[in-house]
Amino acid sequence: MPGIDLSMNLPPQPADADLDGRLARALAEVRAESGLAPYLTYQQPGGTGAERKAAAEWLGGMVADLAGGLTADRLILAPGTQPALFALLLAHAAPGDAILTEKLTYPGFKAAAAALGVALIGVEMDGEGMIPGALDRAARGGTAKIVYLTPTMQNPTTATMSADRRKRIAAVVRKRGLVLIEDDPYTFLAPGLPPISSFVPERSYFAASLSKAIAPGLRTSIVVAPDAAAAARCAALLRAVVQMSSPLMAAIATQWMRDGTAADLIKATRKETAARQTLARDALQGQDAIAHPAGLHVWLGLPNRWPAPRFVAHLGGRGLAVVTADAFATDAAPPNAIRLALGAARNQAQLARALAILAEALGEGATGDVIV
Ligand SMILES: Cc1ncc(COP(=O)(O)O)c(C=O)c1O
């Protein structure tokens, strides 16, 4: 049996979304407007003025609570949130500093911090993500100046902060004089909640990648900075990291924002994602599985008889790859859990096969020691 890899947290490619056709049409439209060759030159890091204006209008429409103060000069287009996070660390942290994060956090942020010699301090979480009182206590000593978090369908625990929780986190950010990096690629899948940044815009960066709701290959993230000067600094540091977005990809993303395709594709992702979550819920009944009905992934606690490394090796022997909690851990005691990236399956049939392998394995006991 060919392997099934549910380790990368991708959005599904819905069969009826016509991604191929839409890409071809976007290219034709960009070409009709200006020709394609101009997109082979260097461009301003952070996006052209027209792209930033289109992104500000589009993001303001998608995330209503941002709309008020969202001017084009406050935002940049980055080739993904990942290099933007690196640029923000360059802007606000130095080797030896510490940053506050959720106790389990996005591995790409761990990697960026490690590369810069910046330590992470994991803050306690509950079913809504980071706990404001725990953030307050952790920030009290003044060692850490930055808090990084993912408020919606948290990666990996799927926790989503209520509006009240967001307000309370913002109050701690302000009280302790922290810089907030709010990473919210899932906002487009579960809209309606105000960003934490909207309560404390003067101290916040809000990064809204299109990778999780449309496609990671677009390499497009919209990053909102506290003000125009901070956005310019972020763009300059982005140049140091990655020069600029691939101009053609930025042009396609902008075209899709302008002509409604981005919103259509997000709708298609939501529909396919909901169907996949239903499959997972049915297959994992009775298990310690946590998921958001609109989320791309499931967080699955394992029974004691299945230590995560052994369980993952067992699944690997059956052709299924998933990720264990240690990838996300900020300390040496990760929970006994795995993340299932439902969007990574090629289609629902493949996902159903993967879930059947998983359910069967959960029903079995761990047998003996693995000798390696
Ligand atoms: C929380 C979070 N932030 C950022 C990213 C990466 O986003 P991008 O593809 O825009 O670099 C991911 C991808 O896994 C993620 O889960």
Side-chain angles (χ1 to χ4, degrees), residues 9 79-83 85 106 148 150 155 183 185-186 209 211-212 216 219-221:
N9 215 14
T81 288
Q82 183 65 34
L85 292 175
Y106 163 52
Y148 164 84
T150 305
N155 184 10
D183 182 2
Y186 301 109
S209 173
S211 288
K212 306 295 171 171
R219 303 314 300 140
T220 300
S221 173

Side-chain angles (χ1 to χ4, degrees), residues 280 282-289 298-308 311-312 314-315 318 320 322 336-338 340 354-366:
D282 292 349
L284 298 174
Q285 263 176 34
Q287 303 294 342
D288 178 16
V298 172
W299 185 235
L300 182 66
L302 297 175
N304 289 340
R305 67 177 187 284
W306 269 128
F311 188 62
V312 167
H314 178 82
L315 292 180
R318 282 154 180 73
L320 176 60
V322 297
N336 191 33
I338 57 173
L340 314 172
L355 290 166
I357 294 170
L358 194 69
E360 192 187 332
L362 284 166
E364 296 168 19

